[in-house]
Amino acid sequence: MAELPIPDLPPARCSGRFTISTFLGMEEGGRGPYTPTEGSSCDSVQPTQLSSSTLCTRTFGYNTVDVVPAYEHYANSKGVGDPRKGRPSLADLHSILKVTGGLAVPIASLASPGHAAGPCEASVVEGEPGRDSEPEPVRFGWVKGVMIRCMLNIWGVILYLRLPWITAQAGIALTWLIILLSVTVTTITGLSISAISTNGKVKSGGTYFLISRSLGPELGGSIGLIFAFANAVAVAMHTVGFAETVRDLLQEHNSLIVDPTNDIRIIGVITVTVLLGISLAGMEWEAKAQILFFLVILVSFINYLVGTVIPATAEKQAKGFFSYRADIFAQNFVPNWRGPEGSFFGLFSIFFPSATGILAGANISGDLKDPAVAIPKGTLMAIFWTTMSYLVLSATIGACVVRDASGSLNDSVAVGSPGCEGLACSFGWNFTACAQQQSCRYGLSNYYQSMSMVSGFGPLITAGIFGATLSSALACLVSAPKVFQCLCKDQLYPLIGFFGKGYGRNSEPIRGYMLTYVIAVGFILIAELNAIAPIISNFFLCSYALINFSCFHASITNSPGWRPSFRYYSKWAALFGAAVSVVIMFLLTWWAALIAFGIVIFLLGYVLYKKPDVNWGSSMQASSYNMALNYSVGLSEVDEHIKNYRPQCLVLTGPPNFRPALVDFVGTFTKNLSLMLCGNVLIGPWKQKMPESRLMADGHTKWLMKRKIKAFYTDVVAEDLRSGVQMLIQAAGLGKMRPNILVLGYKRNWRTASPQSLEDYVGILHDAFDFKYGVCLMRMKEGLNVSRVLQAHVDPTTLASEQQASTIFQSKQGKKTIDIYWLFDDGGLTLLIPYLLGRKKRWGKCKIRVFVGGQINRMDEERKAIVSLLSKFRLGFHEVHILPDINQKPRPEHIKRFDELIAPFRLNDGFKDEATVNEMRQGCPWKISDEEVDKNRAKSLRQVRLNEILQDYSRDAALIAITPPIGRKGRCPSSLYMAWLETLSQDLRPPIILTRGNQENVLTFYCQ
């Protein structure tokens, strides 16, 4: 189908495995003209105006516009100005060929101007003269970019100052359990991050990018904002931790700058300014600083481990350090709870923040060479090595240092001295007095600087604390702007786009750095972070919970697009990780967890309300499809019941923006209740109308969404209106969600329109009844079709942005009336639609009146009967009017007007026999014979009289709903039926709805 005739062309080279040496056929037994070439590139050949290819021989050995698979066909991230490469469109391969200028070109391609250049078209390529090559941005591998960064962010002051104390309280066994429980959560989260980051190309934005592209903008946006803010405040936290350590050193040497509080502020502001300078210098300098901090921490670890094997001096023994002893290990292996925090979960809440920080590598995803490889490998390796360091530290210090020590050299005694209690007695030290009075200053349970005391050289531990705090501060200072920049570019929230601008080859968010700096300085100056620290921990945990839930949700939806190359994850483990993260949030600080949830819900609600115009293929979209599919299939198994009847409408709107009043009317009573489907019949040749159908459908759907109409749009191509509507009636809907009411506008121009269109219009009503549809005709005095004030051919891209026409159904109706003329029992549809309309806010104040026909001598009885029936339906209709004069003869001038109305359509056959009439009517079936006029005289006068009644009773109503007559097929000509509808509804100011059910009940007063 995609083969092309062979024109005479000079040889040309094409991208692919083969080149064209000639267009002549291959000779038998010969090698043929198609010879493989290495590194063949695409020089310029004469363009053919195909949308994405030219006449090139590829792999297949014949002249074709088909192309072999290539990366460029699937990539959508191209540099500005780069030539777009793509596969040929289906029209290029499938449409009829037309030879132009010696080349065979698909007709569809000739009709599509501005096509993108194809892979064989001449283009400026990189390296050519006149093209400036931009410098390559700095990119990091998994070690430098992720593992080291995560390890530095995980390690913190808790490692140096709190882990020995936790070991003393919980014992080595339970400390290991606390570590492993914490690491279980972070490992599961690491596996989830690995799965999500390997399911497609990851760009900048880190945690926000991963969550938002998985769960959608609603949850992603809220987490992105609070995660960026939490990182900004975390900069202040880590910087204050560093400043406090420096302040303590100055205090020891009596060298305070001003006072203890202001010294923290001064040192903190200077430190964060220096860190900002490192960040602004570029990611390369920041990475070098991180490596320096990493080396400092490693040296401090080695210094500590060396110190544990050095024989203890008397001074260190007085402080409780005795090198490795089995007795000390055995005593410290079991817990010894002390103080208000002496419980398992109390210590767990203190330790857990030191296991966080695993997102530091993912947060700079845009600066990684290959995020899909670097994030899984680097994150999991960082978790492994930091876990090992925690386990080794707790085991080694628990085997070397006793829980209580006085620090006094005078407490040394001979081994076995009487009155000495405790493990230290066997080592020649008596700490009994301070242990009993709980006044010991040293030992694991009392001295936070135990690591510094044990180490070979104490100042190196202080350097390690500096390295841990500064590296964490620097990682957060880089993470916050990077995440915030991606959030700004997505424009989910107002007033933040200013901070999304990038500078330099790495697109550095300098404005974001400055904002982070201002936030950090603000919290440093407050210097009261004890209340804010739990909120920050909860924000990070919130991110962990959503990352795990993202992985679970993407897996459970079974979307074909969920294909992570990292396979070592479990959706149930991810769900467990999400649940545990939420539980830990409340274990840490319940009030902070509530605040975090409150902020997330508020931001989530804002994005849900604004409905940003983004489409990221999230798992929420996949879940919506799954739910819709399951419920639709499940609905097919449910038997229909009158109580669950819903008016599901197929509305013949044409282009919906042409008949906004019809759209608004049906949308008002079907919103959040039932199916509404806007149908459009494109009349003309199929090949001519199909491109228009594809082009306009999306625009019409967006127009409906902008108007806040919950409806579907569908169109069909047909030779005439009636056959198109027949297609819609038969094929529209899915399972039990199929239309049961046909809604269309009244044909105002029926007298001047072509007779065939009149036949088709009435035929559509007959077809609807044949398919057991109810019918609803709408007529407004000013008409429904506003296409005359719109452009004849509206650009589909501007449909949603065009000015929306206002209609009566969009405004409040006040205390008017909705008048229902329930003249014939059609199953109750004439009552149901006004009832549903009256439930809406704009129509809620309207009083509903019901009019029925009756006899003048039985008015009270008939009224009571109708009131009783309506009360059983529980519709709330209390005002009922009986029309005893419905059968009176209309006024002569109105009868004359009706006769004049049908006069142009009369056959004037003089009451001839049926065969003669049929012969006279051949070719004009809409004509009315004299006999038909006579037989239907009473019915015709009834419509004239009803119009008089409507004029008398409902001139000022907000809406009139009336049961129309039915014209019998084959017995009532279309022109006569239209004359009845015209007469019934003419000269009325309010909109009139002519509703006719399919004679099956839609209301019931039974409960089963």
Side-chain angles (χ1 to χ4, degrees):
M1 202 176 290
E3 292 184 35
L4 300 176
I6 303 174
D8 296 326
L9 278 178
R13 291 189 301 154
C14 293
S15 60
R17 304 182 198 169
F18 295 88
T19 56
I20 307 173
S21 57
T22 178
F23 279 115
L24 299 177
M26 186 182 296
E27 295 177 2
E28 253 183 71
R31 183 166 174 248
Y34 307 112
T35 56
T37 61
E38 293 187 6
S40 61
S41 62
C42 185
D43 295 334
S44 61
V45 297
Q46 186 174 351
T48 66
Q49 297 186 5
L50 293 179
S51 65
S52 57
S53 185
T54 55
L55 305 182
C56 294
T57 298
R58 303 293 178 186
T59 311
F60 313 105
Y62 59 86
N63 190 23
T64 178
V65 298
D66 257 335
V67 293
V68 292
Y71 170 84
E72 292 84 359
H73 302 162
Y74 297 90
N76 60 359
S77 53
K78 301 176 178 65
V80 177
D82 286 350
R84 184 180 179 277
K85 297 182 178 181
R87 68 177 69 81
S89 69
L90 189 60
D92 291 338
L93 302 175
H94 184 257
S95 60
I96 300 171
L97 292 172
K98 181 180 180 181
V99 178
T100 58
L103 292 177
V105 182
I107 291 175
S109 296
L110 294 173
S112 56
H115 69 282
C120 287
E121 294 185 17
S123 61
V124 180
V125 295
E126 200 172 333
E128 283 185 351
R131 176 162 175 163
D132 296 331
S133 58
E134 293 184 1
E136 281 291 319
V138 179
R139 293 285 186 260
F140 304 115
W142 70 273
V143 176
K144 197 175 182 181
V146 181
M147 188 184 80
I148 291 177
R149 191 175 296 275
C150 286
M151 290 176 72
L152 287 172
N153 215 21
I154 293 170
W155 284 328
V157 290
I158 290 177
L159 169 70
Y160 292 95
L161 302 181
R162 290 294 183 272
L163 190 57
W165 173 76
I166 291 172
T167 304
Q169 288 265 9
I172 296 171
L174 288 183
T175 300
W176 275 38
L177 183 60
I178 288 172
I179 293 170
L180 292 175
L181 278 176
S182 302
V183 170
T184 299
V185 177
T186 56
T187 303
I188 291 173
T189 308
L191 294 174
S192 298
I193 292 172
S194 302
I196 296 171
S197 62
T198 57
N199 187 53
K201 190 173 181 180
V202 177
K203 299 180 183 178
S204 61
T207 307
Y208 160 70
F209 184 89
L210 295 177
I211 296 177
S212 63
R213 269 55 176 180
S214 269
L215 286 179
E218 296 83 10
L219 283 171
S222 56
I223 283 299
L225 201 57
I226 65 172
F227 188 74
F229 177 76
N231 271 285
V233 180
V235 175
M237 280 186 57
H238 295 301
T239 305
V240 168
F242 167 78
E244 285 180 349
T245 309
V246 176
R247 190 270 316 267
D248 292 344
L249 288 174
L250 293 175
Q251 211 164 11
E252 284 180 18
H253 296 86
N254 296 318
S255 302
L256 286 175
I257 303 171
V258 181
D259 57 64
T261 303
N262 283 317
D263 278 14
I264 291 176
R265 292 169 177 162
I266 294 169
I267 297 166
V269 171
I270 294 172
T271 304
V272 80
T273 305
V274 172
L275 293 177
L276 177 67
I278 295 173
S279 301
L280 293 177
M283 289 298 294
E284 198 168 3
W285 285 96
E286 187 267 348
K288 290 176 181 177
Q290 293 285 31
I291 290 176
L292 176 63
F293 292 141
F294 184 71
L295 293 175
V296 169
I297 292 175
L298 283 185
V299 170
S300 72
F301 278 169
I302 294 170
N303 170 53
Y304 159 75
L305 291 174
V306 168
T308 59
V309 296
I310 295 176
T313 61
E315 186 177 317
K316 286 189 175 183
Q317 287 184 357
K319 293 181 179 179
F321 172 61
F322 297 99
S323 294
Y324 290 106
R325 301 293 176 96
D327 293 345
I328 297 176
F329 181 85
Q331 188 186 55
N332 288 338
F333 190 79
V334 294
N336 181 18
W337 309 112
R338 298 183 186 182
E341 295 157 334
S343 65
F344 181 83
F345 285 112
L347 296 179
F348 178 82
S349 66
I350 291 171
F351 173 79
F352 184 80
S354 67
T356 61
I358 60 172
L359 301 177
N363 285 337
I364 63 160
S365 54
D367 296 298
L368 302 175
K369 289 178 182 175
D370 188 355
V373 173
I375 292 175
K377 199 171 182 181
T379 303
L380 295 175
M381 289 299 288
I383 292 173
F384 174 77
W385 288 116
T386 52
T387 303
M388 294 304 298
S389 67
Y390 285 143
L391 295 174
V392 168
L393 177 61
S394 63
T396 53
I397 205 163
C400 297
V401 184
V402 294
R403 284 191 169 105
D404 294 300
S406 64
S408 173
L409 294 173
N410 296 327
D411 287 338
S412 60
V413 294
V415 177
S417 297
C420 182
E421 297 178 4
L423 187 63
C425 297
S426 59
F427 307 133
W429 292 88
N430 185 3
F431 302 136
T432 307
C434 74
Q436 290 177 345
Q437 297 171 7
Q438 295 186 351
S439 60
C440 294
R441 294 178 54 202
Y442 294 94
L444 281 184
S445 296
N446 310 296
Y447 188 47
Y448 288 152
Q449 301 284 352
S450 295
M451 272 189 73
S452 180
M453 181 264 293
V454 169
S455 65
F457 184 60
L460 281 179
I461 299 297
T462 304
I465 294 174
F466 288 174
T469 53
L470 292 178
S471 64
S472 296
L474 188 57
C476 292
L477 183 59
V478 170
S479 296
K482 294 282 185 183
V483 172
F484 194 57
Q485 182 185 31
C486 186
L487 181 64
C488 293
K489 288 182 176 179
D490 287 336
Q491 298 179 341
L492 300 182
Y493 298 102
L495 307 177
I496 62 173
F498 173 79
F499 299 100
K501 184 174 174 59
Y503 297 87
R505 57 183 180 173
N506 272 54
S507 188
E508 293 291 344
I510 293 177
R511 295 173 180 175
Y513 280 124
M514 299 309 298
L515 178 64
T516 305
Y517 174 77
V518 170
I519 294 172
V521 168
F523 281 98
I524 288 170
L525 293 178
I526 293 171
E528 283 293 335
L529 294 177
N530 290 338
I532 299 166
I535 298 178
I536 294 171
S537 297
N538 276 281
F539 282 167
F540 286 123
L541 275 168
C542 213
S543 303
Y544 291 178
L546 281 176
I547 286 174
N548 284 311
F549 183 72
S550 299
C551 182
F552 166 76
H553 197 264
S555 303
I556 205 73
T557 54
N558 293 321
S559 171
W562 175 249
R563 302 185 303 274
S565 54
F566 183 86
R567 300 291 183 183
Y568 307 104
Y569 73 94
S570 165
K571 59 185 176 186
W572 301 114
L575 181 62
F576 173 76
V580 169
S581 297
V582 173
V583 170
I584 293 174
M585 286 176 68
F586 284 93
L587 286 178
L588 292 180
T589 333
W590 65 267
W591 56 266
L594 291 177
I595 291 175
F597 274 111
I599 294 173
V600 170
I601 290 170
F602 172 77
L603 295 172
L604 170 67
Y606 176 83
V607 179
L608 283 171
Y609 173 74
K610 294 297 288 184
K611 290 185 174 61
D613 187 19
V614 294
N615 182 14
W616 296 327
S618 66
S619 61
M620 286 298 182
Q621 292 172 314
S623 176
S624 298
Y625 177 86
N626 278 1
M627 289 175 63
L629 182 63
N630 290 333
Y631 281 125
S632 297
V633 173
L635 198 61
S636 300
E637 302 171 2
V638 177
D639 292 333
E640 293 180 355
H641 194 282
I642 302 172
K643 285 201 302 182
N644 293 324
Y645 174 86
R646 292 169 186 260
Q648 304 188 106
C649 300
L650 170 60
V651 191
L652 300 185
T653 58
N657 59 318
F658 281 9
R659 294 174 178 81
L662 193 61
V663 171
D664 290 340
F665 163 65
V666 181
T668 301
F669 69 81
T670 58
K671 187 175 184 180
N672 299 326
L673 175 79
S674 58
L675 175 70
M676 175 180 173
L677 202 153
C678 295
N680 183 17
V681 179
L682 300 172
I683 301 172
W686 186 82
K687 293 178 181 177
Q688 180 184 338
K689 291 294 180 178
M690 272 308 294
E692 180 184 342
S693 170
R694 291 196 301 266
L695 198 64
M696 300 293 283
D698 190 49
H700 291 314
T701 301
K702 288 181 178 177
W703 183 89
L704 289 167
M705 291 169 61
K706 184 180 179 182
R707 205 169 178 87
K708 297 183 179 178
I709 300 293
K710 296 190 175 182
F712 298 98
Y713 170 83
T714 187
D715 54 32
V716 293
V717 179
E719 296 297 329
D720 57 73
L721 178 65
R722 185 175 181 181
S723 59
V725 174
Q726 287 173 343
M727 294 179 197
L728 288 171
I729 288 174
Q730 294 178 83
L734 181 69
K736 291 289 179 70
M737 292 186 65
R738 300 177 63 84
N740 50 28
I741 299 174
L742 181 70
V743 183
L744 65 167
Y746 177 73
K747 188 176 180 63
R748 298 177 72 203
N749 66 339
W750 66 275
R751 283 174 286 181
T752 58
S754 67
Q756 186 57 48
S757 68
L758 176 61
E759 278 287 295
D760 285 348
Y761 183 81
V762 176
I764 288 169
L765 303 181
H766 289 308
D767 294 337
F769 290 130
D770 287 342
F771 285 106
K772 292 193 174 181
Y773 272 56
V775 170
C776 184
L777 284 171
M778 180 178 177
R779 182 175 187 180
M780 294 180 68
K781 188 173 183 180
E782 60 274 19
L784 295 173
N785 194 338
V786 298
S787 60
R788 61 187 180 279
V789 297
L790 298 175
Q791 297 176 1
H793 299 285
V794 181
D795 182 358
T797 59
T798 63
L799 274 176
S801 60
E802 72 176 20
Q803 187 175 0
Q804 298 269 350
S806 60
T807 68
I808 187 175
F809 298 99
Q810 291 180 314
S811 57
K812 290 186 177 180
Q813 298 303 309
K815 296 184 178 181
K816 297 181 182 178
T817 63
I818 298 176
D819 291 349
I820 305 172
Y821 288 83
W822 194 24
L823 304 178
F824 307 102
D825 190 353
D826 61 347
L829 188 63
T830 307
L831 295 173
L832 182 62
I833 290 178
Y835 165 73
L836 296 175
L837 204 63
R839 287 168 52 179
K840 302 301 179 181
K841 187 176 181 181
R842 290 170 183 161
W843 297 79
K845 293 184 179 180
C846 290
K847 183 170 64 174
I848 297 180
R849 303 188 298 178
V850 179
F851 297 84
V852 294
Q855 299 174 19
I856 194 167
N857 56 345
R858 299 183 67 244
M859 284 180 59
D860 289 341
E861 296 174 20
E862 292 180 351
R863 184 181 180 281
K864 287 179 183 178
I866 294 297
V867 168
S868 174
L869 178 61
L870 292 177
S871 67
K872 287 182 170 62
F873 287 145
R874 305 173 307 282
L875 296 172
F877 299 167
H878 304 297
E879 187 170 342
V880 176
H881 297 269
I882 304 298
L883 301 173
D885 53 350
I886 196 169
N887 290 320
Q888 286 182 7
K889 190 174 181 179
R891 291 197 284 272
E893 61 270 23
H894 294 158
I895 298 175
K896 181 181 178 184
R897 184 171 61 177
F898 175 78
D899 290 335
E900 291 173 350
L901 183 65
I902 64 172
F905 302 95
R906 293 191 63 163
L907 198 58
N908 295 318
D909 56 292
F911 294 94
K912 292 186 171 59
D913 59 87
E914 188 174 351
T916 307
V917 168
N918 290 338
E919 187 177 343
M920 292 177 65
R921 195 155 49 185
Q922 195 168 16
C924 47
W926 57 89
K927 289 284 189 177
I928 313 169
S929 70
D930 293 345
E931 186 178 358
E932 287 165 342
V933 173
D934 187 59
K935 281 184 177 179
N936 292 290
R937 190 65 177 172
K939 198 169 187 178
S940 301
L941 294 179
R942 169 69 66 87
Q943 313 314 315
V944 178
R945 177 58 188 153
L946 282 174
N947 181 257
E948 293 176 350
I949 291 174
L950 295 179
Q951 297 283 0
D952 292 339
Y953 289 92
S954 303
R955 185 179 297 275
D956 298 320
L959 181 77
I960 300 172
I962 188 169
T963 316
I966 291 183
R968 190 173 297 278
K969 262 195 314 185
R971 293 296 179 186
C972 180
S974 56
S975 55
L976 179 59
Y977 184 68
M978 289 304 298
W980 289 346
L981 300 183
E982 176 73 26
T983 301
L984 177 63
S985 59
Q986 66 187 353
D987 299 334
L988 292 171
R989 187 196 58 80
I992 180 166
I993 312 299
L994 298 101
T995 308
R996 188 80 195 210
N998 63 357
Q999 302 303 112
E1000 293 182 2
N1001 288 353
V1002 299
L1003 297 173
T1004 181
F1005 41 75
Y1006 294 109
C1007 62
Q1008 64 178 12

